[in-house]
Amino acid sequence: MKKTLALFDFDGTITSKDTLFEIAKFSTSKTLYWVKILSLLPIFFLMKIGIIPKSKGKETFLWVFFHGLNEETFNALCFEFCLEKLPMLLRPKAINKISELQKKNTDIYIVSASPQNWIIPWAKQLNINVLSTQLDFSNSSFTGKIKNENVNYEEKVKIIQRNIDLSQYNEILAFGDTKGDIPMLNLASSSHFRPFE
């Protein structure tokens, strides 16, 4: 029996904006948001010129905005973000494609570098699986660190291969929008780069 797997990047593919910055805005006042962003400009510059890896830059960003936040409080914030803000960021063409694939009984996974905390609450509503970056909590408080690996570039392929038996699929579709998605797109039998813009 023929089975199809669909792999979707999240930020920029399903959404129109980077949700890391959007949830940071959502979590604080406009003034404090820009104060924190300005403090991060040296980090952004060092990432741009390749002095520090993107994963370390992301950890610094997360630490500045969410360090020490209680896990329950953080997850409640993420849930609220999914209810109030995320619907306005979704690309209609992407949602239509997901709906179309679900009608064909396609197995759908979101594979994202963004933390699962603000993807899973939304994805659960649509019965979509999530393979995504995990955050590190110690004594129920966010350490500001990523747990294991940042799910981007080759890490996308690794987490797919660890969690999905690809041999059971006759067709693998992949949808992405950045260089970080290329390894996942190369894994697929049918790849789609920026198809919903």
Side-chain angles (χ1 to χ4, degrees), residues 54-60 62 113 115 132-137 142-151:
K54 289 185 177 180
S55 58
K56 292 300 178 186
K58 179 186 282 187
E59 284 184 330
T60 304
L62 289 164
S132 183
T133 299
Q134 297 181 39
L135 301 182
D136 183 59
F137 290 86
F142 179 45
T143 64
K145 298 288 185 181
I146 290 170
K147 187 177 180 181
N148 301 321
E149 299 296 333
N150 185 42
V151 182

Side-chain angles (χ1 to χ4, degrees), residues 15-30:
T15 69
S16 60
K17 295 181 179 180
D18 188 327
T19 56
L20 177 61
F21 285 86
E22 293 303 310
I23 196 166
K25 289 179 188 175
F26 186 78
S27 70
T28 189
S29 69
K30 187 174 181 179

Side-chain angles (χ1 to χ4, degrees), residues 60-72:
T60 304
F61 186 101
L62 289 164
W63 189 91
V64 166
F65 278 94
F66 305 114
H67 173 251
L69 202 61
N70 176 270
E71 185 172 9
E72 186 177 339

Side-chain angles (χ1 to χ4, degrees), residues 186-197:
N186 290 339
L187 181 70
S189 53
S190 178
S191 61
H192 306 269
F193 189 73
R194 297 180 180 172
F196 310 121
E197 294 182 4

Side-chain angles (χ1 to χ4, degrees), residues 91-194:
R91 293 186 185 275
K93 289 181 182 178
I95 302 307
N96 289 340
K97 185 63 177 180
I98 289 170
S99 178
E100 174 192 317
L101 290 170
Q102 286 181 319
K103 288 174 184 175
K104 297 177 182 177
N105 295 317
T106 302
D107 290 344
I108 301 175
Y109 283 77
I110 291 171
V111 187
S112 177
S114 276
Q116 61 183 11
N117 306 70
W118 62 81
I119 301 177
I120 288 177
W122 172 77
K124 271 187 176 179
Q125 298 174 54
L126 299 180
N127 294 315
I128 299 173
N129 305 291
V130 177
L131 299 175
S132 183
T133 299
Q134 297 181 39
L135 301 182
D136 183 59
F137 290 86
S138 179
N139 298 319
S140 297
S141 293
F142 179 45
T143 64
K145 298 288 185 181
I146 290 170
K147 187 177 180 181
N148 301 321
E149 299 296 333
N150 185 42
V151 182
N152 208 3
Y153 293 93
E154 291 297 338
E155 292 301 327
K156 289 202 170 192
V157 173
K158 290 178 183 178
I159 199 170
I160 289 165
Q161 292 174 334
R162 282 198 305 268
N163 290 276
I164 307 172
D165 180 5
L166 299 179
S167 66
Q168 65 178 306
Y169 296 101
N170 300 85
E171 185 178 23
I172 301 174
L173 313 175
F175 303 84
D177 76 305
T178 66
K179 291 187 293 184
D181 299 316
I182 290 175
M184 180 176 76
L185 294 172
N186 290 339
L187 181 70
S189 53
S190 178
S191 61
H192 306 269
F193 189 73
R194 297 180 180 172

